[in-house]
Amino acid sequence: MRFRILCVFTLVFSLALFSCSESEADVVSASGTMVFDFKDTESAPSVRLAVFLQVTNEVQRTDNFTVSHEQSGYSWNVSNPKIFTGLNKNYAFSLNLNAPEGEAIPAGSYSVVYYDAAGNEDTMQFVVNYNSELLSVDAEKCRTFLENATENVAVYDETGELLFMGKAKNSWKTNEAILKDYRLAETKRICYVTPGNTIICMMPEEKLKTEN
């Protein structure tokens, strides 16, 4: 599970563009990414919503935030958000918002209420759009329902640590070529990403080394 979280987190931030406030919480932007995680080639994916908030105050002062979909009544309270600081930008985020059992994460407008440690709050909205066919397709067919998706590859060692994330090198025509560059590599996952990181489809894990 750890390597899947690393894959989503690194992918979204590697493709996105990356003063303190004592008096107010200020959310610059909010975005949602639908993650379709295919464990094998035959099954439908597991699905979750990742939410990222860019804030102007010290992100370490983040207390919690709530994500709500008014039409469905679904609401998630993220009581211990993860944080990220880099390239002079601060983010609070959650990678694993799930719909109630047997239900799907709805498309449409979402609102976020963000609270800092001093009890100050700010609100922001974002929109989730995806083709509902993605909920039931297998890995081979998923790209049919993605518009203008780019292909990325994640390479991991035997412990699930991420070694590489991004577009495959031109020289990587075979798994042996990947292993030549990353001799500790054990597995890879292909990830399809739509513009704006609104949808990520993670293909099943593939072993790089041939078993004897």
Side-chain angles (χ1 to χ4, degrees):
M1 181 59 70
R2 182 184 179 193
F3 67 86
R4 292 196 178 95
I5 292 176
L6 280 169
C7 180
V8 177
F9 171 69
T10 308
L11 182 61
V12 172
F13 277 93
S14 66
L15 297 177
L17 294 176
F18 282 95
S19 134
C20 304
S21 171
E22 293 298 331
S23 60
E24 64 180 21
D26 191 3
V27 179
V28 177
S29 65
S31 62
T33 298
M34 288 292 296
V35 181
F36 296 85
D37 191 346
F38 292 88
K39 304 298 192 302
D40 55 53
T41 57
E42 293 83 24
S43 305
S46 61
V47 183
R48 59 186 180 272
L49 175 64
V51 174
F52 299 87
L53 308 180
Q54 183 187 345
V55 299
T56 58
N57 63 334
E58 289 185 13
V59 72
Q60 289 81 5
R61 297 178 67 242
T62 297
D63 187 70
N64 69 91
F65 64 84
T66 300
V67 180
S68 302
H69 183 264
E70 183 175 350
Q71 187 174 359
S72 67
Y74 293 165
S75 183
W76 297 264
N77 180 47
V78 182
S79 59
N80 188 27
K82 297 181 182 297
I83 59 174
F84 172 84
T85 299
L87 300 179
N88 297 317
K89 294 186 179 181
N90 303 311
Y91 293 89
F93 63 95
S94 175
L95 300 175
N96 201 33
L97 302 185
N98 298 288
E101 186 174 356
E103 302 294 333
I105 293 173
S109 180
Y110 286 75
S111 62
V112 178
V113 182
Y114 167 89
Y115 299 90
D116 67 14
N120 301 305
E121 67 178 74
D122 196 10
T123 61
M124 188 64 67
Q125 287 73 42
F126 65 89
V127 176
V128 167
N129 286 312
Y130 66 95
N131 191 319
S132 60
E133 297 286 348
L134 284 168
L135 299 169
S136 57
V137 299
D138 59 30
E140 184 178 351
K141 297 185 179 68
C142 83
R143 199 168 184 183
T144 305
F145 303 100
L146 302 176
E147 294 186 10
N148 303 314
T150 58
E151 181 178 311
N152 293 266
V153 61
V155 178
Y156 306 94
D157 68 13
E158 64 180 355
T159 68
E161 289 289 342
L162 188 68
L163 302 176
F164 174 87
M165 170 63 73
K167 292 185 178 181
K169 299 180 181 181
N170 291 332
S171 60
W172 288 359
K173 304 300 183 185
T174 63
N175 288 340
E176 288 73 18
I178 297 175
L179 291 168
K180 183 177 180 180
D181 288 344
Y182 293 93
R183 58 187 182 83
L184 296 179
E186 290 287 337
T187 61
K188 71 176 182 180
R189 295 190 80 181
I190 301 300
C191 304
Y192 296 109
V193 186
T194 59
N197 306 316
T198 56
I199 299 173
I200 297 176
C201 285
M202 301 170 64
M203 298 297 99
E205 177 184 284
E206 300 177 46
K207 294 186 180 300
L208 294 173
K209 298 177 181 177
T210 302
E211 295 183 1
N212 296 326

